[in-house]
Amino acid sequence: INAEYMGIKKMNEIAFQDFLNIYVNKLQSPSCLPNCITDICVGWTQETFRQLCLKCTKNGKAPLKLWIDTPEEMEILSRKISSLQSLFTLFDTNKFHRIDTLELFSVIMLALPADFEIKLLHVTGVFGFRSESDFTKDEFFLFLDSLFRGLSKVLIVKGAKQPSGKVYRVSCNCLLYTSPSPRDLSTSRMPSSACKK
């Protein structure tokens, strides 16, 4: 099926250095994030994020749902309905009425204040499909891919009032995560797109 025929916006694939050239030292100040994100996450800490993850995964007993179909599904984040609708629209770049939970969570995780070690713990908790204390190379690359796509959807550069609307996927051989992982697929928490039986 032809992606353009289906109306799918093709992501701009760029090199890591090009991604840096677009954003480093060029972000809007004092905040480079849209109001809907700052409105929802105001006062949040990494502990708030950890509690959110536990709630979304039924205390770690279920995998994180990989997509969100409606702004109402995001009420676990906040009760600010207009901000949730704006956030959903911001992440729904293909207009499928579905957003990538991993993109959203990676951006929120990065935006919250915390030491590097705490953030790394949350990265392994969300993206470590096999274990919450470590993750495979494939899982790490899934995190990087989700993070770069999510950041490109929300970052505001100097002189702009909103994000550019361009979604960037950082191209590099290391960002391939769709190969089967060397583990028992019947017990894997890996997303179905990465686990082919």
Side-chain angles (χ1 to χ4, degrees), residues 8-23:
I8 300 170
K9 238 190 228 179
K10 188 175 179 186
M11 280 185 261
N12 299 315
E13 200 166 293
I14 61 174
F16 177 68
Q17 189 58 50
D18 293 336
F19 187 89
L20 293 179
N21 291 342
I22 293 170
Y23 296 110

Side-chain angles (χ1 to χ4, degrees), residues 162-179:
Q162 59 190 8
S164 70
K166 293 182 182 175
V167 181
Y168 294 111
R169 168 170 268 146
V170 173
S171 71
C172 121
N173 294 336
C174 67
L175 290 183
L176 300 175
Y177 59 86
T178 55
S179 61

Side-chain angles (χ1 to χ4, degrees), residues 5-112:
Y5 173 76
M6 296 292 293
I8 300 170
K9 238 190 228 179
K10 188 175 179 186
M11 280 185 261
N12 299 315
E13 200 166 293
I14 61 174
F16 177 68
Q17 189 58 50
D18 293 336
F19 187 89
L20 293 179
N21 291 342
I22 293 170
Y23 296 110
V24 172
N25 297 323
K26 297 177 183 169
L27 295 176
Q28 185 77 311
S29 139
S31 176
C32 61
L33 297 174
N35 290 338
C36 58
I37 293 179
T38 54
D39 187 37
I40 290 169
C41 298
V42 68
W44 281 29
T45 64
Q46 287 291 334
E47 179 58 23
T48 312
F49 182 77
R50 187 182 78 78
Q51 293 295 327
L52 170 69
C53 290
L54 286 174
K55 198 170 191 179
C56 290
T57 61
K58 299 181 180 10
N59 288 327
K61 294 179 179 142
L64 184 67
K65 186 177 175 187
L66 297 178
W67 62 87
I68 298 169
D69 292 313
T70 64
E72 291 76 25
E73 279 187 56
M74 298 189 333
E75 286 182 6
I76 194 168
L77 300 175
S78 172
R79 295 186 193 267
K80 300 173 182 173
I81 302 302
S82 64
S83 291
L84 290 175
Q85 289 172 337
S86 297
L87 184 64
F88 189 87
T89 301
L90 186 65
F91 275 86
D92 185 21
T93 53
N94 288 325
K95 307 300 180 221
F96 284 154
H97 306 289
R98 173 179 281 183
I99 66 171
D100 186 323
T101 307
L102 298 177
E103 288 177 5
L104 174 64
F105 275 40
S106 62
V107 167
I108 291 172
M109 188 184 335
L110 187 67
L112 297 176

